[in-house]
Amino acid sequence: MLIKKTTQADFDSQQQARAMRGFASTLASKICAITRGNLSIPMIQAGEISVASHAAKEYIEKISPSIKYKIGVQFDESSFIAIGIDSNFVSKSSYYWAGGRLDAPVKTINSNLTGCEAAFLKSFIELIQPMIQEELNNCAYVKVEISAFDDNGIAFKNEQRVQINTVNCAFKDEEVSLSIITSDGVLNYCNLKNAGETEIKLKDTRNLLELNTELEACFEPFQLTMGDILNLEVGQSFIMNDNAVSLINPLDKSVIKKGILGSGDQNNQLVKII
């Protein structure tokens, strides 16, 4: 029997990757619908959304420069979410939008926008920005505002990772892609998995005195040797050096709060939020 060790940073990153799947799919379908309805580009989502996780250094040096245009929001000095648009998306979409043609010029990463591309990009962002802001506000714990985004100002932490959900979109014989970009820590501000799915409506609840919810409690990782684990029997006990627990949303396994397990004046078991 093998036990795979993982760091807290890796665990948090895996939780966030799972939470992002549904959110990215929702954004992709709505972006395609807005583009069809307002820009007359018959765009649909093509294939599965691919997910990649990158170390901050790799993202800054190699990935971010290739995704030239971004809108998004920064939650704290190191946590953000953004929608990225690359030059290929702008070039192919803009020339079809302008005259129904697909003969866009070949672009490099550092190429400047043509007049046609600049006009399309402006119209496209103006269309999707309110929708993305609404989707985020449906699941964010604080109100957010989406604007042009530059990740050069992000103070990435040690071992922090950046996740990119790449959405392939097709129209006519062309394929382009959009990127939904998140850094570790976003789940502290947004319950992304449940956006538009299990949202709790609090309208007409002025007489509601109590709102019940279900949470799972999970003890923080503790150390046992392989021999200790194999020798455990029913009725035996072992010492935990740490009484820290996490309160977890059972729907998407995201950590809502962290606390310390203890007892109260009447010997009740309590969790003190930290």
Side-chain angles (χ1 to χ4, degrees), residues 217 245 247 258-262 269-273:
V245 297
L247 298 180
K258 291 195 174 186
I260 299 174
L261 180 65
Q269 287 186 314
L270 304 174
V271 174
K272 181 179 180 181
I273 302 301

Side-chain angles (χ1 to χ4, degrees), residues 220-240:
E220 297 297 299
F222 52 90
Q223 299 295 322
L224 285 177
T225 66
M226 181 63 71
D228 293 334
I229 295 173
L230 294 176
N231 291 329
L232 285 176
E233 296 180 0
V234 175
Q236 288 185 326
S237 61
F238 55 90
I239 297 175
M240 294 181 60

Side-chain angles (χ1 to χ4, degrees), residues 51-174:
V51 182
S53 179
H54 304 274
K57 184 176 184 295
E58 179 187 14
Y59 171 76
I60 293 170
E61 294 178 354
K62 298 180 181 179
I63 309 301
S64 182
S66 67
I67 306 172
K68 198 168 183 180
Y69 313 103
K70 306 179 185 74
I71 59 174
V73 60
Q74 182 174 348
F75 294 101
D76 59 29
E77 64 178 8
S78 60
S79 301
F80 70 92
I81 184 167
I83 284 72
I85 307 161
D86 62 17
S87 296
N88 184 59
F89 182 96
V90 175
S91 179
K92 290 185 176 181
S93 300
S94 64
Y95 277 79
Y96 183 85
W97 167 71
R101 297 182 297 119
L102 294 174
D103 53 343
V106 177
K107 305 286 288 187
T108 63
I109 292 176
N110 296 320
S111 297
N112 293 324
L113 290 174
T114 65
C116 175
E117 291 166 343
F120 168 80
L121 183 60
K122 181 176 183 293
S123 298
F124 181 70
I125 288 177
E126 286 177 349
L127 280 173
I128 68 172
Q129 186 169 324
M131 179 274 292
I132 294 168
Q133 182 163 303
E134 180 180 1
E135 289 297 318
L136 269 179
N137 278 319
N138 283 339
C139 59
Y141 305 136
V142 294
K143 187 175 182 179
V144 302
E145 291 189 9
I146 301 297
S147 60
F149 185 78
D150 183 356
D151 49 32
N152 287 326
I154 301 296
F156 289 102
K157 296 178 181 178
N158 187 36
E159 294 186 351
Q160 188 172 4
R161 301 191 68 81
V162 178
Q163 296 162 1
I164 300 180
N165 287 254
T166 301
V167 181
N168 292 321
C169 303
F171 61 95
K172 297 299 183 180
D173 297 323
E174 295 298 320

